[in-house]
Amino acid sequence: MRHGTTSVVQDLDVGQEAARRRSFAVISHPDAGKSTLTEALALHAHAITEAGHINGKSGRRHTVSDWMEMEQARGISITSASLQFSYRDTVINLLDTPGHADFSEDTYRVLSAVDAAVMLIDAAKGLEAQTMKLFAVCKHRGIPLITIINKWDRPGLDALALMDEITEKTGLEPTPLTWPVGVAGDFRGVVDRSSGNYVRFTPTSGGAHVAPEDVLPPAAAAAQEGAAWDTAVEESELLGASGQDYDPESFLAGISTPVLFASAVRNFGVHALLDVLVDVAPSPGPRPAVGGEPRAVDDPFSAFVFKMQAGMDTSHRDRLAFIRVCSGMFERGMVVTHGRTGRPFATKYAQQAFGRERTVIDTAYPGDVVGLVNGADLRVGDTLYLDKKVEYPPLPTFAPEHFAVVRAKDAGKYKQFRRGVAQLEAEGVVQVLRSDLRGDQAPVLAAVGPMQFEVAEHRMATEFNSPVYLDRLGYTIALRTTREWAKVIGAERGVEVLAREDGELLALFPDPWRVSSVRTHHPNAVLEKPTAA
Ligand code: GDP
């Protein structure tokens, strides 16, 4: 059994290791190119040798991240973890957010474990719905954002118009680091706005290899690209004149966003993103703790669980608890304290997981993600620590928008049914709402996105041996109310009040009009956005 020590030498190392870590996630709308970008990043960082290994979808070489049968059937990635690679002596952790159109709490939770995010925008589509939802979470958490305008090799919107759209929709000031030479669809390269040089884009076949990037001085660029170069330089100067130059302070404060133009599929602009991550993205800092001083990154080990994942390998029935290290050094085998129960937790089985590939992990530092096997007692939001107690704040849960009654298909398997529902609730796969009226045999599952129901249904059948019926309910809004108001509100037509495990009472409404009419009837009623579970 090894214990983390707090010798001066180790503290120094931990501080240095933390300083060279960058942990980020990509937020985007489906099809904007997140999988392609992920592959390209890893390719550039030499984590893998050829694109197509990590998140490949049908038609590409491997389908590494499709663990669950359901995922394979639908060609989507539901499960997620992190990819670690090194670049320029920096260790980069790319936390994978599920890329399907549906929302799940998982996606949001991943954002609680990163220090920065990359907002990936399709040049032809601009800011889309899911990007905006995820952006709102980043903004709420104060996560600095780097913006990539992707697919510049395809016809798309005007570059300046895209900058305006970013300002209008997000309130962020776009501060481009590069500016495209050639309109969308005629991607010749970019002006590197800090040096004024031309980074010429040389397409390679299929984008499977690192694309060569030639750097030319302005005069040579002008001679080669003519009017396209002149336009790019003029527009870049225009941006400068309106104060849209990269500014580290406002970037870290979440006021401005550095912008890069790219073609992920052609591997162009990816190199620039890696440099930006190393040069400007923040390294892990002290994480605020409940009722105490924040723990410095070189303090003794602490981490929190941001994600639970089960059933990735049906033959092993394993359950991985993914933690983000906040302070100190993680050493596999060390015994830490599980904050919620106060019990010791042995970290003998620690893994790194991305896609199907898993490797045993021996040490980790602040910013890193570790998958702990046998983490059945752990729950999302739990803190693990060494030495002095620390408790990280609970992760936010989001107001559910989808509701379904769950019932065991086989009434004889009630025990399995109850155990399964309790486990899914503990893991945060779905929220479980109950009322005396509905009884314990038919609780209501609540989710941010309907796919959470499919995961629940699948796991109830395959893992807990209790196939279930799910009957969707017509509610779309959940608002918190009080015990005093519950009776009154619950008596309103079309409204139902249910209790969540943490004791919060949620009033469910079919639509916003019902909410406003109930509010009109009861102007003093407590009806608020639900708080974290
Ligand atoms: P995700 O859903 O965000 O992970 O998107 P994918 O990475 O799967 O990409 C969606 C589609 O867009 C795929 O057909 C990609 O080949 C394509 N794509 C991604 N990046 C680019 C790009 O830079 N240019 C072009 N032309 N296509 C791209």
Side-chain angles (χ1 to χ4, degrees), residues 213-270:
E213 294 180 350
D214 303 326
V215 181
L216 304 177
Q224 202 168 82
E225 304 296 351
W229 173 258
D230 295 340
T231 306
V233 171
E234 270 164 36
E235 289 181 342
S236 172
E237 283 169 359
L238 209 66
L239 292 166
S242 55
Q244 288 176 270
D245 291 332
Y246 166 64
D247 170 49
E249 269 169 44
S250 62
F251 160 60
L252 293 178
I255 296 168
S256 69
T257 178
V259 181
L260 295 168
F261 286 78
S263 167
V265 82
R266 303 260 170 212
N267 268 313
F268 189 75
V270 175

Side-chain angles (χ1 to χ4, degrees), residues 442-486:
V444 172
L445 305 186
V448 174
M451 193 163 293
Q452 287 172 245
F453 292 149
E454 291 183 36
V455 174
E457 195 176 3
H458 180 85
R459 287 187 54 191
M460 286 299 290
T462 56
E463 215 181 310
F464 301 104
N465 196 21
S466 169
V468 294
Y469 294 113
L470 282 178
D471 294 319
R472 293 294 296 270
L473 297 170
Y475 305 119
T476 63
I477 296 168
L479 292 173
R480 191 179 72 85
T481 188
T482 57
R483 204 151 288 285
E484 298 73 59
W485 281 103

Side-chain angles (χ1 to χ4, degrees), residues 30-36 57 60 150-151 153-154 263-265:
D31 273 347
K34 188 161 64 78
S35 317
T36 311
K57 297 187 180 168
R60 289 195 217 144
N150 190 33
K151 306 197 185 182
D153 59 299
R154 293 272 290 276
S263 167
V265 82

